[in-house]
């Protein structure tokens, strides 16, 4: 992240809700709350994906993927990759049915760690700056 935004997950069972705030590091203050919901992150989506809401789980885990994207857990055993700038859903990863995701983190080793259903999954990411 650019240290100018603060992202806070809002875990409401079965719903997608994420809050973005403007962060002033010098003053130590937050302001300008923007609430991202399923409707807002899918506003520009043309793919007709399955709904994010309605499954088990919520936006519980949240991590900065890189300078452009966040990755969050989503209801229904999904991982959502969201643009930090626009708040648009850029990609969706669906895990097997009845998967209840609890956390997601990007390690210093450029691995993505995902927890849920008493399991830890590890996904190797591309090195920083490569496609």
């Amino acid at each position: 992240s650019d240290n100018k935004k603060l992202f806070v997950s809002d875990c409401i069972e079965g719903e997608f809700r994420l809050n973005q705030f403007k962060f002033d590091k010098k003053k130590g203050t937050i302001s300008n709350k923007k609430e991202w919901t399923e409707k807002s992150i899918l506003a520009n989506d043309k793919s007709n994906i399955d709904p994010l809401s309605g499954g088990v789980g919520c936006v519980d885990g949240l991590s900065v993927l890189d300078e452009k994207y966040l990755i969050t857990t989503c209801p229904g055993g999904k991982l959502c990759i969201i643009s930090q700038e626009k708040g648009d859903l850029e990609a969706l990863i669906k895990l097997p049915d009845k998967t209840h995701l609890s956390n997601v983190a990007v390690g210093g080793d450029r691995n993505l760690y995902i927890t849920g259903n008493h399991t830890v999954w590890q996904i190797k990411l591309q090195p920083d700056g490569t496609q």
Side-chain angles (χ1 to χ4, degrees):
S1 179
D2 60 7
N3 291 317
K4 296 180 182 174
K5 298 175 189 143
L6 173 66
F7 297 96
V8 180
S9 63
D10 194 352
C11 186
I12 299 172
E13 187 68 26
E15 288 188 31
F16 181 91
R17 195 168 296 170
L18 181 68
N19 299 301
Q20 175 196 24
F21 298 90
K22 182 178 176 184
F23 177 63
D24 187 322
K25 191 173 180 178
K26 288 183 182 178
K27 294 179 184 176
T29 59
I30 59 173
S31 60
N32 295 352
K33 177 181 177 182
K34 291 182 185 175
E35 184 177 82
W36 293 350
T37 63
E38 178 176 358
K39 184 177 179 180
S40 70
I41 70 167
L42 293 176
N44 296 317
D45 183 69
K46 307 282 189 262
S47 66
N48 297 320
I49 65 164
D50 289 338
L52 300 178
S53 297
V56 298
C58 60
V59 181
D60 193 11
L62 165 69
S63 187
V64 173
L65 190 57
D66 60 24
E67 293 161 4
K68 294 181 181 181
Y69 303 106
L70 301 171
I71 188 161
T72 72
T73 59
C74 294
K78 299 175 182 102
L79 290 171
C80 295
I81 300 175
I82 301 170
S83 162
Q84 289 188 41
E85 185 63 33
K86 296 180 181 179
D88 291 340
L89 180 70
E90 299 290 334
L92 183 71
I93 301 167
K94 172 74 172 92
L95 279 76
D97 287 343
K98 298 185 182 179
T99 301
H100 186 163
L101 298 177
S102 54
N103 213 339
V104 61
V106 177
D109 57 1
R110 290 295 296 158
N111 284 314
L112 183 65
Y113 295 93
I114 307 155
T115 61
N117 292 17
H118 308 288
T119 305
V120 177
W121 293 277
Q122 177 184 1
I123 299 172
K124 182 76 174 161
L125 299 172
Q126 293 291 325
D128 236 351
T130 63
Q131 299 294 322

